[in-house]
Amino acid sequence: MNEDARGPSPFLLDHLEQLTDAAHEGPILDIACGCGRNALAVARHGARVLGLDRAAEKLHRLAFTARLEGVQMEAIRADLETGRMPPLARQSCGAILVFRYLYRPLGPLLEALLRPGGLLLYETFTLSQRDLPQGPENEAFLLQLGELPRLFPALRVESFWEGRVDQPWPQHLARLVARKPG
Ligand SMILES: C[S@@+](CC[C@H](N)C(=O)[O-])C[C@H]1O[C@@H](n2cnc3c(N)ncnc32)[C@H](O)[C@@H]1O
């Protein structure tokens, strides 16, 4: 499935006000943003957003849409799986978004990029997704039940949920809201 064929995540939309507040402290970084279905939704609320992905064509599409709409967006091309620091300062991000992407070793980097008091919003598939017809099947991209908060030991969990949603399409998801102690 084209991940951008659907609109922003309802989980993201539920936290737009918190993200707008967080953006007063630093930009909102959308990790593995794709064409920016979530990054654009936050930028439309007036926040400055950094969209990071390794796919140049997706970033071009994101930058084009952002320009067209006149929203604040910086597209950053970087590969998150090389072990090298992306071109971002430590403790600079007001919030970090991660949707439909999992690379377990990234936990410490994301913790380091958040400002004290900064917010992490994370939503991706759990292993149960393999029982459904669509979505990833490789375990490397699927969370074990209860695993997501354990990837961020330096953050304080504000909410954590796992379960099935049927709209806009059937998904088994984990959703985490966590904050860096300030
Ligand atoms: C399933 S898409 C999710 C896109 C977006 N977060 C969303 O929810 O619509 C996964 C994205 O991760 C990006 N990606 C995969 N591996 C990456 C890596 N090593 N570094 C940066 N981005 C990566 C892909 O280019 C793709 O845009």
Side-chain angles (χ1 to χ4, degrees):
M1 149 169 341
N2 171 0
E3 76 270 11
D4 293 290
R6 319 276 177 161
S9 158
F11 172 58
L12 177 98
L13 296 178
D14 283 346
H15 292 85
L16 272 183
E17 295 309 320
Q18 269 176 286
L19 291 170
T20 311
D21 287 347
H24 294 306
E25 306 301 323
I28 309 300
L29 172 64
D30 187 0
I31 286 284
C33 62
C35 300
R37 69 189 173 107
N38 293 311
L40 286 163
V42 179
R44 286 177 194 126
H45 260 243
R48 179 178 165 229
V49 181
L50 313 176
L52 185 153
D53 204 284
R54 72 174 172 192
E57 69 282 5
K58 294 185 181 187
L59 293 175
H60 287 146
R61 206 169 123 189
L62 170 63
F64 178 79
T65 312
R67 258 199 318 277
L68 207 65
E69 296 190 16
V71 297
Q72 301 182 80
M73 179 76 61
E74 187 180 336
I76 301 170
R77 187 172 182 200
D79 187 334
L80 293 160
E81 298 174 21
T82 61
R84 286 195 302 275
M85 185 79 176
L88 295 162
R90 296 169 73 86
Q91 306 212 7
S92 62
C93 298
I96 296 180
L97 315 175
V98 193
F99 285 76
R100 294 188 200 158
Y101 175 72
L102 180 62
Y103 179 61
R104 290 175 170 85
L106 271 190
L109 171 68
L110 301 189
E111 289 174 344
L113 289 174
L114 274 179
R115 294 176 66 92
L119 202 61
L120 173 73
L121 245 65
Y122 205 130
E123 176 186 83
T124 200
F125 303 103
T126 65
L127 272 173
S128 308
Q129 189 66 27
R130 291 196 298 197
D131 302 336
L132 298 174
Q134 288 177 315
E137 294 186 0
N138 183 337
E139 280 189 29
F141 307 132
L142 295 166
L143 288 161
Q144 306 271 349
L145 287 182
E147 181 185 4
L148 186 53
R150 293 200 297 271
L151 299 179
F152 300 97
L155 306 187
R156 202 176 53 236
V157 174
E158 294 199 344
S159 70
F160 176 55
W161 175 89
E162 287 170 329
R164 174 177 170 145
V165 298
D166 286 303
Q167 297 301 329
W169 55 285
Q171 300 167 82
H172 281 286
L173 297 171
R175 290 172 166 167
L176 174 70
V177 181
R179 197 176 287 278
K180 186 163 175 172

